[in-house]
Amino acid sequence: MDLVFRDAEVVDGTGGASYRADVAIEGGRIAAIVREGAAAGCQRPTARRVVDAEGLALSPGFIDMHAHSDLALLRDPDHSAKAAQGVTLEVLGQDGLSYAPVDDRTLAEVRKAITGWNGSGDDIDFDWRTVGEYLDRLDRGIAVNAAYLIPQGTVRMYAVGWDDRPATESELDHMRRLVAEGMEQGAVGMSSGLTYTPGMYAKDAELTELCRVVAGYGGYYCPHHRSYGAGALEAYAEMVRLTREAGCALHLAHATMNFGVNEGRAPDLLALLDEALDAGADISLDTYPYTPGCTTLVAVLPSWASEGGPEAVLARLRDDGTAERIRHHLEVLGSDGCHGVPVDWDTIEISGVSEGTLTDWVGRRLDGWAAARRLLLEDRLGTTILQHVGHEENVRTIMRHRVHTGGSDGILQGLKPHPRAYGTFPRYLGRYVRDLGVLTLEDCVAHLTSRPAARLGLTDRGRIREGYRADLVLFDPETVGAGATYESPRALPTGIPHVLINGEFVMEDGRRTDALAGRAIRRTPV
């Protein structure tokens, strides 16, 4: 064999009890699993390399169901932000905004719109336009595996533009073709950002038609729905109704219940989902194990202020009368961009800026609209924020649910990013398994491995089983934990010495190797 993990405590991803075994790897796959006390005559495997795993847990690689590494994987071959956590697969194209499919105009516009998420892209050779070409680019070699969701907001930007109006029949046909082409080229589904423009301008009928296309290819719909604040339950129910009508599987992105209006209301959400699940709906969700959210500052503006695209937003911000109208929506009425809740400036902390002269803003709380307006203009909408609006009780309640999976929603840009980008998966294992006992180790690993693999339709990943791909994590249950904090958000985890992708060490003895073992994971045809 190429490699044997000797005497590991195998947490196999099924949720069943762990067991002690030798696990042998050959040709990038799990070749043999020999349990302790195996029948006489069953020899322990030998290999060119043996790793002593005494006292350590061996699990399948973790799957990040909500990642914003669309450019980071190309820009940073090291990508320790995820590799060091034991993440072996990320799902990109989230929240309805990413970089394929595009034409030249759409690419220029989307680059401006999500500079705060992924940087300007000035350091990237955008040598693709289609979903298939983007996946081919990933296949040249990346730090971890990656799957892709077709971004509905980008598709609408391409076919309709930035107008807040229904699509014409010809525009809807164009969007259907773009989604179908993306699915044929290997996307696993479609995402939306229904508090982000221009995706939020789509009505349910339009979204249903696009979901029908996704369903025809066996994919799933992953919406950032219309509200996580006031009207959150109605927004969740809308997505359940829409996907059931379309016959499409549903995966709810960062399924939280935030803002003061939702404190203690996680059981209401889970009751809504359980009713649908019991009636036959195909639903899953992901969350991150933190209370604050993270987004761009421009995202909290009312949707009408963003109609026409980034340059139109800047023009409105420069006009005193229009800026006052924006303030009134934000502070009095409750902006749809801020989930229908009047903004509390004390909850908004600047986490990153695009303009280097503005770094003094990072780490500061905004003291009102005047400061926010100034920063939006000077940073040309490239500012990212932490929004301190979550509730720990809701976080714990939702992570226990039977269809829960893990997703970091990790934005890697900015001087002070949210620590979830570097800490989500070890935080689940350290804080919520070992320290608090919210989940058992076996159950938590299933949430992070086999459940997301099933949603993605992967038949040879997500479990430790003979013949499966050797995407594996060896960690110490007694010391594993997130190093990242709000003060040091890029600190790497503890207690994860080894990570393998496709049988290659990407983390070895706690250090990043130079392996680029990741590839694009394309949808399995139905």
Side-chain angles (χ1 to χ4, degrees):
M1 300 291 180
D2 297 328
L3 171 69
V4 169
F5 289 104
R6 183 80 75 206
D7 294 322
E9 190 65 25
V10 176
V11 187
D12 66 6
T14 65
S18 64
Y19 56 87
R20 188 178 172 95
D22 295 345
V23 178
I25 313 301
E26 187 170 23
R29 292 183 180 270
I30 300 170
I33 302 170
V34 179
R35 296 196 184 207
E36 183 179 52
C42 185
Q43 293 184 340
R44 302 186 79 176
T46 59
R48 287 180 287 279
R49 178 174 178 187
V50 176
V51 173
D52 180 5
E54 179 75 34
L56 302 178
L58 185 69
S59 80
F62 307 136
I63 298 175
D64 188 343
M65 287 296 287
H66 194 104
H68 289 284
S69 302
D70 307 50
L71 299 186
L73 278 167
L74 304 177
R75 163 185 301 125
D76 177 20
D78 180 82
H79 202 50
S80 288
K82 295 302 177 64
Q85 292 187 60
V87 170
T88 58
L89 169 59
E90 298 184 273
V91 184
L92 313 177
Q94 299 287 349
D95 295 329
L97 290 167
S98 190
Y99 305 94
V102 293
D103 56 9
D104 291 349
R105 172 191 61 81
T106 308
L107 176 60
E109 291 175 350
V110 77
R111 284 177 61 183
K112 291 180 181 178
I114 53 176
T115 292
W117 292 357
N118 297 311
S120 68
D122 290 343
D123 54 343
I124 301 293
D125 178 10
F126 288 91
D127 58 353
W128 69 86
R129 293 296 180 270
T130 68
V131 170
E133 290 168 349
Y134 176 67
L135 296 177
D136 288 344
R137 176 71 179 276
L138 297 178
D139 266 339
R140 298 180 198 173
I142 47 180
V144 304
N145 296 313
Y148 189 74
L149 295 165
I150 301 163
Q152 170 261 331
T154 300
V155 166
R156 195 173 214 274
M157 198 185 304
Y158 193 155
V160 180
W162 290 83
D163 295 339
D164 183 1
R165 62 172 176 80
T168 67
E169 190 57 38
S170 64
E171 289 167 341
L172 184 56
D173 283 342
H174 189 189
M175 287 190 282
R176 289 192 192 100
R177 289 196 304 274
L178 290 170
V179 173
E181 289 167 2
M183 293 300 296
E184 289 168 2
Q185 292 164 10
V188 295
M190 181 179 75
S191 75
S192 283
L194 299 179
T195 64
Y196 299 128
T197 55
M200 69 190 299
Y201 298 144
K203 304 302 182 187
D204 283 4
E206 179 178 316
L207 296 171
T208 301
E209 286 302 306
L210 299 184
C211 283
R212 292 188 201 280
V213 177
V214 172
Y217 288 92
Y220 68 92
Y221 181 44
C222 180
H224 164 131
H225 50 276
R226 297 192 193 275
S227 175
Y228 289 82
L233 286 176
E234 291 80 0
Y236 281 113
E238 175 192 11
M239 295 297 101
V240 172
R241 288 192 304 270
L242 186 156
T243 50
R244 297 208 73 185
E245 180 178 347
C248 188
L250 172 64
H251 180 84
L252 294 164
H254 37 60
T256 57
M257 293 288 285
N258 286 340
F259 301 91
V261 294
N262 289 317
E263 185 172 3
R265 298 195 68 192
D268 297 338
L269 166 62
L270 300 185
L272 184 158
L273 299 181
D274 282 335
E275 181 180 0
L277 287 162
D278 292 344
D282 185 357
I283 301 173
S284 55
L285 59 87
D286 66 69
T287 69
Y288 47 82
Y290 297 86
T291 52
C294 179
T295 187
T296 56
L297 182 56
V298 66
V300 305
L301 302 186
S303 57
W304 61 262
S306 293
E307 187 175 6
E311 292 303 321
V313 179
L314 291 168
R316 292 185 181 104
L317 289 169
R318 292 186 191 102
D319 181 79
D320 289 343
T322 309
E324 171 56 24
R325 185 181 168 208
I326 293 172
R327 184 205 64 77
H328 184 72
H329 274 254
L330 280 169
E331 296 182 349
V332 179
L333 301 180
S335 160
D336 51 3
C338 198
H339 307 277
V341 177
V343 67
D344 178 356
W345 295 112
D346 286 341
T347 67
I348 294 181
E349 177 185 0
I350 304 304
S351 61
V353 292
S354 296
E355 174 55 54
T357 61
L358 299 173
T359 56
D360 286 349
W361 284 90
V362 175
R364 290 167 52 182
R365 303 285 179 120
L366 289 175
D367 59 5
W369 168 240
R373 178 189 179 191
R374 174 187 163 195
L375 185 54
L376 285 164
L377 285 168
E378 292 183 3
D379 204 26
R380 295 190 59 80
L381 313 182
T383 306
T384 52
I385 61 171
L386 301 183
Q387 202 164 9
H388 297 266
V389 293
H391 305 285
E392 178 69 16
E393 179 187 352
N394 287 348
V395 170
R396 297 187 194 188
T397 300
I398 293 169
M399 73 170 63
R400 294 187 183 101
H401 194 262
R402 54 178 160 151
V403 298
H404 170 267
T405 68
S408 70
D409 196 11
I411 294 175
L412 300 167
Q413 290 295 303
L415 292 177
K416 196 174 183 288
H418 196 305
R420 68 192 185 193
Y422 284 73
T424 285
F425 295 87
R427 182 173 169 88
Y428 268 120
L429 297 170
R431 176 170 171 77
Y432 289 97
V433 171
R434 181 187 62 242
D435 299 343
L436 299 176
V438 175
L439 299 168
T440 67
L441 180 61
E442 292 87 349
D443 192 24
C444 183
V445 168
H447 288 223
L448 307 181
T449 60
S450 63
R451 286 191 194 174
R455 168 53 72 215
L456 295 168
L458 305 178
T459 57
D460 61 355
R461 300 179 196 269
R463 300 187 181 196
I464 295 181
R465 180 174 291 177
E466 290 180 1
Y468 273 46
R469 301 239 181 211
D471 291 358
L472 299 168
V473 183
L474 190 70
F475 63 91
D476 183 349
E478 297 302 317
T479 63
V480 65
T485 64
Y486 294 101
E487 293 72 30
S488 300
R490 287 192 171 87
L492 296 181
T494 57
I496 305 179
H498 297 302
V499 180
L500 275 71
I501 296 179
N502 297 314
E504 291 189 59
F505 282 95
V506 296
M507 296 294 298
E508 188 171 13
D509 296 321
R511 298 174 183 270
R512 177 73 171 94
T513 71
D514 60 2
L516 294 177
R519 296 294 182 270
I521 304 298
R522 290 168 169 81
R523 176 193 54 83
T524 302
V526 294

